[in-house]
Amino acid sequence: MELLNELNEAQELAVINSDGPVMVIAGAGSGKTRVLTYRVAYLLSQGVDPFNILALTFTNKAAREMKERVLKLVGNSEARYVWMGTFHSIFARILRVEGHLLGYSQNFTIYDTDDSKSLIKTILKDLNLDPKVYVPGAVLSRISSAKSNLISAEEYAGNAEIADQDKQANRPMLGEIFLHYKARCFKAGAMDFDDLLFNMNLLLRDFPEVLVKYQAKFKYILVDEYQDTNYAQYLIIKKLAARNENICVVGDDAQSIYGFRGANIQNILNFRKDYPDAKTFKLEQNYRSTKVIVNAANSVIAKNKQQIHKEIWTDNDEGNLIKLLKANSEAEEGNMVANSIFETKMNLHVQNSDFAVLYRTNAQSRAIEEALRRLNIPYRIYGGLSFYKRKEIKDLLAYFRLVVNPRDDEAFSRIINYPARGIGKTTLDKIEVAALSSGKSLFEVSSAAAHYVKGLNSGTLSKIEQFITMISAFHQQLRVLNAFELARKIAKNSGLLAELKSDDTEEGRSRYQNAEELLNAVMDFSEKEETLFPDLDTGELTAGEITRTLDIFLQEVSLLTDSDTEDEEDNNKVSLMTIHAAKGLEFPFVYLVGLEENLFPSIMSLQTRSEVEEERRLFYVAITRAEKQLTLSYAETRMRWGNMTMNEPSRFLDEIDERFIEQPARKVSSAGFSGGFTGERTKPPMPVKRPLKKISHSENNYERAEATPVELIQPGILVEHERFGKGKIISVEGSGPNTKATVYFTTVGQKQLLLKFAKLRLIN
């Protein structure tokens, strides 16, 4: 069959065994996405109806790429009707139809983390609780963990053991907060991300007709990254697959790194217990990395006891040994990494985008950023402020949300007086009190403000009425206009665009352009040809129905993940990110920094073997992001919480087979133009075991020149200073005995020196 010609033997077996339970263990770089894609294409080629295939992923980006590949493979536009998307997007889609059974309208709002934290802050204020004790983020995390384990607010509040835990943590009111949070979300017609999973479970548990309906619909189920599923996701999948048992899960236990989010590695380890007749296929050929990198990763992960045995191998080149950088401080570590990137770029003529710097915690990026800036190396930080998190974007989206769902209290509070319309905080407080006491939404109370809110003057009442009338008029057009037509009307008639345009500062112009870009996104959405939301039973559209309405756009936006919202413009930059954010990505040159005990592995993850093993899996993921060259680094001292700490090298460095790692012969101590490692090797050397010899700044592998005459000191030349080591001349000013030079030194940064005293030596 021509479709299968591009697959290796293991991949082909994983694709064509389409009936019954199947587990595909896909090692790093082994073509996991290809198998999923070809499996869907194969099912379609065998005559399976696309409406009967459910493919679940963890990012919209992965789902989109898979769908595009399937369309190319089968050449049939019907393939677009495969139910392919993230867990949250697919279940949100079902809840739009079935949610009325749980008391939700079709237009429920999906709260993001910011919305949830804002609501929790309001609840804390209403309950007169200290936000320093009940930190909103920590409260939300506790609620999220409970819902991921299918513990309801009522069960949480009524559980004596949980209450005792909260009391010991000095947060005895958590159960009460959870109850209020649930009630306020429901009143606002809103679900958060965890509710999408929690409520899907409720539907399947409490409404047998719904369970039977979707068991019959989803005859073939595929799950990507199965090792990352939590209990709620596991239970939904198990229930949906119970009738046909045509379930295929794809994943790698060695890359299970999201335990802190509730992911349960036991889901993949115990798959054969759930399905004793399951077939297992192992994808063990790595197409990404060199032999050195693959074998080094194997030597590390072999130390884990909880795992499915596999032998990852590659036909790729042997490759360079892994480099190890040893620095005195985090500042020097940043300089060494930046210098190495600079030198590699110059020597190999590669792009900035070929490099990634990975770290265990976001705080580690500062020293790397400063070093890259000094060498004018552009970089981008993943996990920074995404487009959809910017204030002006969230303001405009809040208008959209309130138009779609007038019960959305968080959206109402955000825009009731933006742009300013004379409805101040005191008035909003009165509306909130009235809404709380009456059990109504803020919009409902404001719609009859004279009745519910006492003490408002006629002018304020008139302004509230104008706002309510405007939102109501927009709401009436939700099914009349497509998403872009209504969005443009809201942006213009609300006064928000005019407000942004009135700010003529550079920041103001940028905010206005961002709002324009959001409208462009709505236009792109409105003009898409394929139908994302066909009828749940037939796949057909009702005659004359406008499917690309604003509520559907909002659902797509609310379910975007960090990896879906990264700015793709000007991509030629070094990537900086946590290892968790790097999962699924690959780069020719990878730098993994901060390999120190108590930093990586984290001091927070050393209490149990399972915690240490997850840290080791995280290290394995970091190693396997590299295609050609991996560089590891650590610092002997690091500032933590304002104190200088002395560090031991990470235990993980000792776990790499010594055949695959090259110890530093000397420091990378020039500003990106020499140094690094003495490179020639005809066979893998036997590395020096730690503790490594501390190398002084004066140690070097070149002949020292005599002190360079002042008149020969020019910008751009490389020099050495007796105390500061190697550096690069940035600029020269003055003349004769007063000549000064600005020099960038790797060890101490930028210095201005009087040349008659500096006695700089030229490096040839």
Side-chain angles (χ1 to χ4, degrees):
M1 189 177 187
E2 190 175 340
L3 180 67
L4 305 176
N5 291 343
E6 299 297 319
L7 304 176
N8 64 34
E9 183 179 353
Q11 292 171 339
E12 181 178 340
L13 287 172
V15 166
I16 64 175
N17 281 272
S18 55
D19 291 333
V22 169
M23 178 168 64
V24 181
I25 301 301
S30 64
K32 167 180 68 70
T33 304
R34 169 174 289 222
V35 165
L36 279 168
T37 302
Y38 275 75
R39 189 175 172 92
V40 173
Y42 180 77
L43 288 171
L44 293 172
S45 72
Q46 297 302 298
V48 176
D49 192 315
F51 294 106
N52 294 143
I53 301 173
L54 171 64
L56 296 168
T57 67
F58 274 84
T59 68
N60 294 290
K61 182 179 179 182
R64 187 169 58 248
E65 289 177 354
M66 281 174 57
K67 185 169 285 192
E68 289 171 356
R69 289 194 199 180
V70 170
L71 283 167
K72 288 180 181 178
L73 285 173
V74 300
N76 184 348
S77 61
E78 286 291 302
R80 67 168 58 100
Y81 294 119
V82 171
W83 283 66
M84 187 179 291
T86 64
F87 286 87
H88 293 91
S89 66
I90 293 293
F91 300 155
R93 181 172 160 185
I94 293 173
L95 285 164
R96 295 283 178 202
V97 175
E98 312 291 354
H100 65 91
L101 296 170
L102 301 174
Y104 289 90
S105 74
Q106 186 180 19
N107 294 332
F108 65 81
T109 297
I110 300 174
Y111 277 178
D112 64 15
T113 302
D114 291 340
D115 297 320
S116 296
K117 286 181 180 178
S118 176
L119 177 54
I120 288 170
K121 288 176 185 176
T122 301
I123 293 169
L124 295 177
K125 179 182 173 185
D126 293 340
L127 296 178
N128 197 27
L129 295 173
D130 187 352
K132 293 180 181 178
V133 175
Y134 294 90
V135 179
V139 171
L140 181 60
S141 177
R142 185 72 166 167
I143 291 173
S144 174
S145 178
K147 286 194 282 194
S148 294
N149 287 288
L150 301 183
I151 299 171
S152 69
E154 292 76 16
E155 290 168 332
Y156 186 101
N159 186 296
E161 185 178 346
I162 292 175
D164 186 57
Q165 291 174 1
D166 289 343
K167 189 175 181 180
Q168 290 183 25
N170 198 31
R171 294 183 294 194
M173 291 292 288
L174 266 174
E176 188 71 17
I177 296 169
F178 193 174
L179 288 169
H180 279 268
Y181 178 79
K182 176 188 175 182
R184 294 287 284 271
C185 283
F186 186 76
K187 187 184 76 168
M191 299 186 200
D192 63 20
F193 267 39
D194 296 304
D195 286 327
L196 296 174
L197 303 179
F198 188 89
N199 289 333
M200 186 67 192
N201 268 292
L202 287 186
L203 276 177
L204 301 182
R205 185 193 73 184
D206 297 344
F207 300 92
E209 68 278 13
V210 174
L211 175 59
V212 170
K213 174 181 176 179
Y214 290 100
Q215 283 179 336
K217 173 177 283 295
F218 300 135
K219 295 177 181 176
Y220 292 88
I221 299 174
L222 297 87
V223 185
D224 190 15
E225 305 286 12
Y226 191 63
Q227 77 281 350
D228 292 335
T229 52
N230 61 24
Y231 179 63
Q233 291 162 327
Y234 162 79
L235 213 56
I236 294 170
I237 296 163
K238 198 167 189 300
K239 287 178 179 177
L240 290 175
R243 177 173 175 176
N244 299 298
E245 288 203 346
N246 292 326
I247 177 171
C248 173
V249 301
V250 182
D252 181 7
D253 57 292
Q255 297 186 66
S256 179
I257 60 173
Y258 293 115
F260 67 98
R261 291 183 188 169
N264 187 355
I265 191 174
Q266 297 303 322
N267 293 347
I268 194 167
L269 295 178
N270 293 334
F271 184 80
R272 292 187 65 87
K273 290 183 181 179
D274 290 331
Y275 304 95
D277 298 330
K279 299 173 184 174
T280 301
F281 301 99
K282 296 180 181 180
L283 308 184
E284 297 174 302
Q285 182 175 0
N286 179 296
Y287 291 94
R288 175 188 300 157
S289 308
T290 63
K291 285 187 173 70
V292 163
I293 292 170
V294 168
N295 291 330
N298 286 342
S299 69
V300 169
I301 203 63
K303 309 295 190 297
N304 271 9
K305 293 191 174 182
Q306 259 198 330
Q307 62 174 304
I308 298 170
H309 179 73
K310 50 195 165 295
E311 291 288 341
I312 307 301
W313 59 278
T314 184
D315 271 339
N316 292 342
D317 294 340
E318 182 73 19
N320 298 322
L321 291 181
I322 296 169
K323 295 181 180 180
L324 178 63
L325 304 179
K326 173 185 176 184
N328 290 327
S329 66
E330 71 242 64
E332 185 177 66
E333 180 185 46
N335 290 333
M336 294 170 82
V337 168
N339 294 336
S340 177
I341 291 173
F342 186 99
E343 181 179 344
T344 304
K345 277 178 57 184
M346 295 301 104
N347 291 342
L348 302 182
H349 306 289
V350 292
Q351 301 293 309
N352 293 314
S353 56
D354 290 330
F355 296 87
V357 183
L358 310 182
Y359 33 77
R360 181 65 179 82
T361 65
N362 279 307
Q364 293 170 252
S365 74
R366 182 187 59 80
I368 306 296
E369 289 183 69
E370 290 176 358
L372 291 173
R373 281 199 297 266
R374 277 194 289 267
L375 293 182
N376 293 316
I377 299 174
Y379 63 88
R380 61 186 303 200
I381 297 180
Y382 278 68
L385 187 65
S386 74
F387 177 78
Y388 288 99
K389 296 290 186 183
R390 294 183 171 99
K391 179 186 180 301
E392 60 275 15
I393 300 303
K394 290 186 75 69
D395 288 337
L396 189 46
L397 287 174
Y399 270 101
F400 297 169
R401 283 169 45 181
L402 192 63
V403 168
V404 169
N405 174 21
R407 294 165 57 196
D408 187 340
D409 286 351
E410 290 302 309
F412 182 97
S413 298
R414 187 178 187 100
I415 63 171
I416 178 64
N417 198 41
Y418 183 75
R421 50 179 61 91
I423 304 172
K425 186 177 183 303
T426 302
T427 300
L428 181 57
D429 287 344
K430 290 179 180 179
I431 294 172
E432 289 177 345
V433 169
L436 198 59
S437 61
S438 65
K440 304 285 186 182
S441 70
L442 299 180
F443 190 89
E444 289 173 306
V445 167
S446 299
S447 298
H451 171 72
Y452 287 106
V453 187
K454 306 304 179 186
L456 297 181
N457 60 45
S458 59
T460 301
L461 286 170
S462 175
K463 292 167 185 172
I464 294 173
E465 183 181 355
Q466 290 172 19
F467 177 74
I468 296 298
T469 300
M470 177 181 69
I471 298 298
S472 298
F474 293 147
H475 182 72
Q476 293 300 317
Q477 296 174 302
L478 185 58
R479 297 284 174 243
V480 178
L481 303 177
N482 71 26
F484 176 68
E485 291 167 339
L486 183 53
R488 180 175 57 183
K489 198 167 189 176
I490 293 169
K492 183 178 179 181
N493 294 355
S494 66
L496 192 145
L497 280 185
E499 174 78 9
L500 292 173
K501 197 169 188 178
S502 67
D503 184 352
D504 198 34
T505 64
E506 185 174 343
E507 293 80 5
R509 287 192 293 272
S510 176
R511 285 191 287 268
Y512 181 76
Q513 290 165 358
N514 287 337
E516 280 190 320
E517 186 57 35
L518 177 60
L519 292 179
N520 290 340
V522 183
M523 179 186 285
D524 290 343
F525 167 84
S526 300
E527 292 178 347
K528 284 181 183 175
E529 292 181 2
E530 76 270 18
T531 302
L532 296 182
F533 293 86
D535 180 271
L536 296 178
D537 293 314
T538 66
E540 297 174 352
L541 296 174
T542 305
E545 180 184 356
I546 298 176
T547 60
R548 300 205 158 268
T549 47
L550 194 58
D551 54 332
I552 305 302
F553 171 79
L554 277 179
Q555 175 170 307
E556 285 204 358
V557 169
S558 64
L559 294 171
L560 290 175
T561 63
D562 288 344
S563 62
D564 298 318
T565 57
E566 291 293 345
D567 182 7
E568 295 184 357
E569 294 183 8
D570 192 14
N571 271 338
N572 191 23
K573 296 178 179 179
V574 175
S575 296
L576 273 56
M577 68 187 83
T578 64
I579 305 165
H580 284 99
K583 187 168 177 290
L585 303 178
E586 55 191 44
F587 301 89
F589 304 92
V590 169
Y591 293 79
L592 176 56
V593 301
L595 277 164
E596 299 135 31
E597 202 67 12
N598 297 330
L599 179 57
F600 193 17
S602 167
I603 194 171
M604 306 297 290
S605 302
L606 297 175
Q607 303 305 310
T608 65
R609 171 179 283 137
S610 63
E611 289 177 345
V612 174
E613 290 203 350
E614 176 150 329
E615 288 289 294
R616 187 176 288 112
R617 291 194 295 269
L618 190 61
F619 185 51
Y620 175 84
V621 166
I623 292 174
T624 55
R625 297 313 93 197
E627 297 172 358
K628 297 179 179 178
Q629 179 68 64
L630 174 65
T631 302
L632 311 175
S633 70
Y634 68 97
E636 294 180 306
T637 64
R638 188 177 297 272
M639 291 294 292
R640 304 189 73 176
W641 306 107
N643 297 313
M644 181 68 72
T645 61
M646 302 296 293
N647 305 313
E648 289 293 323
S650 169
R651 69 186 70 185
F652 295 149
L653 291 173
D654 283 322
E655 293 179 356
I656 300 174
D657 190 308
E658 62 184 21
R659 292 174 298 163
F660 308 120
I661 188 166
E662 175 184 285
Q663 301 288 355
R666 61 186 175 89
K667 290 183 180 178
V668 179
S669 55
S670 66
F673 355 82
S674 93
F677 295 87
T678 51
E680 291 188 19
R681 64 181 177 91
T682 55
K683 61 180 180 179
M686 293 301 292
V688 181
K689 294 238 179 188
R690 272 180 308 279
L692 299 175
K693 175 175 174 275
K694 186 171 181 179
I695 301 169
S696 69
H697 290 303
S698 61
E699 223 171 316
N700 57 73
N701 291 330
Y702 60 86
E703 294 296 324
R704 284 176 180 258
E706 294 299 320
T708 304
V710 170
E711 59 271 17
L712 296 182
I713 300 294
Q714 300 292 331
I717 69 168
L718 308 182
V719 295
E720 186 191 32
H721 185 274
E722 186 174 9
R723 178 179 171 192
F724 300 137
K726 295 179 188 175
K728 181 179 181 180
I729 303 296
I730 305 299
S731 63
V732 179
E733 58 185 83
S735 59
N738 296 318
T739 305
K740 299 176 184 176
T742 300
V743 189
Y744 174 76
F745 294 101
T746 305
T747 54
V748 294
Q750 192 165 293
K751 294 283 186 182
Q752 190 174 58
L753 306 174
L754 195 61
L755 291 182
K756 68 178 180 180
F757 297 122
K759 298 181 180 178
L760 296 175
R761 295 180 178 86
L762 179 67
I763 298 176
N764 294 318

